[in-house]
Amino acid sequence: MRARPALPLLALPLLILAGAPARADFAGCVAGLRSHALGQGISAATFDRMMAGVEPDMKIVELMNSQPEFKTPIWDYLATLVDEQKVAEGRAMLRKHAEVLARIESAYGVDRHAVVAVWGVESDFGQIGGRWSLPQALSTAACFGTRRREFFRGELISTMKIVQRGDIAPEKLRGSWAGAFGHTQFIPSTYLRLAVDFDGDGRRDLVDSIPDALASTANYLKKSGWITGARWGYEVRLPAGYAGPSGRTAKQPLESWAGRGITRVDGTALAGLPAAGLLLPAGRNGPAFLVTRNFDAAYAYNAAESYALAISVLSDRLRGGSGIRTPWPTDDRGLSRAERKELQERLIRRGYDVGKPDGAIGALTRAAIKDVEARLGMPQTGRPGGKVFDALR
Ligand code: CA
């Protein structure tokens, strides 16, 4: 979910003009990293072993600088992250790992459905592996990044500490360009702060131990202010013409919201939540939610309200709930991953080159959608929405 579209092709020559790094620059930078690491308690043997043969990958700098070309509407974002496939797989994981999840719940006081929701959104329950070795990704970012070089240097040193302690073997440490790794996508410094050994083998292993990974996520949510036994919030209904306050952080007791005419989405009276903020992710004409500190704990995991809403709604679905009832303010719904894949297959059958039909929407798929939209006399958005999907069907 953190993958972002690559830079437009035009930017690549610019990057080269701006001075692509010489190998000597990298060697010099690594020498500097080495002396810094040794000063931080990393042994020369650990450093040299982990950096042996590492070459910078400038794709990482591109990703670091890329701005999303399209603003993803929240209904698209939720449609892919909380689809029937994710719900079914999540429920299967709840059954399969019921015993360890029960122990995690009693040790950390964090709802198992939220823990499994984070697992599903972060790595599709461990199915999405890392593209880069952490030493390669983090040394590239520390040497050639256009910003936050010191941050990435710190993450590189944290990576080496993980290996030096014998927690995880270096070849297992693969992750995103920014260094997030394992089942629940911790960055190395977060790992050092919050990862726990829950299977009792003495190592904190977020790559190969599901108990360690899930307990570490529960620990993260707990340390982020999770209130045991409370809900993240729920969907509500605003009175007609509501003009009162809103915002996740503007928390008020339920009586205050009730006094403004807000009810639960089914029309019943508000009850059963601690202080909550009124979240309106698509404005006053879309779904509305009262959200508690447990919603903020999910927000702490990845600072986006859309992310926290995906975790929260998925956790409800995993518990057997029905999801969001109020329609989003659009007549062009978002597509699930299965529908995106089918959309690509239909485009291929019509002769478009969209690469592999994997449900990931890249530049080729967007261009093909635009072409189809033009042929159908629709506005050319390039967006994989329900209208173009239904038209192709
Ligand atoms: Ca362990």
Side-chain angles (χ1 to χ4, degrees), residues 167 196-206 208-213:
D167 275 326
V196 297
D197 169 29
F198 201 73
D199 61 15
D201 70 350
R203 297 185 305 115
R204 303 184 291 167
D205 185 351
L206 304 189
D208 284 333
S209 168
I210 288 171
D212 287 8

Side-chain angles (χ1 to χ4, degrees), residues 357-382:
D358 55 4
I361 305 297
L364 288 172
T365 304
R366 289 192 188 278
I369 292 170
K370 276 190 181 171
D371 198 66
V372 166
E373 286 173 327
R375 281 160 194 264
L376 296 171
M378 297 163 62
Q380 286 184 271
T381 64

Side-chain angles (χ1 to χ4, degrees), residues 339-356:
E339 287 170 329
R340 287 178 168 215
K341 195 162 168 283
E342 184 185 331
L343 173 72
Q344 290 173 321
E345 283 161 355
R346 290 182 182 277
L347 289 168
I348 289 168
R349 260 179 267 152
R350 289 180 172 235
Y352 292 100
D353 172 17
V354 300
K356 199 159 62 85

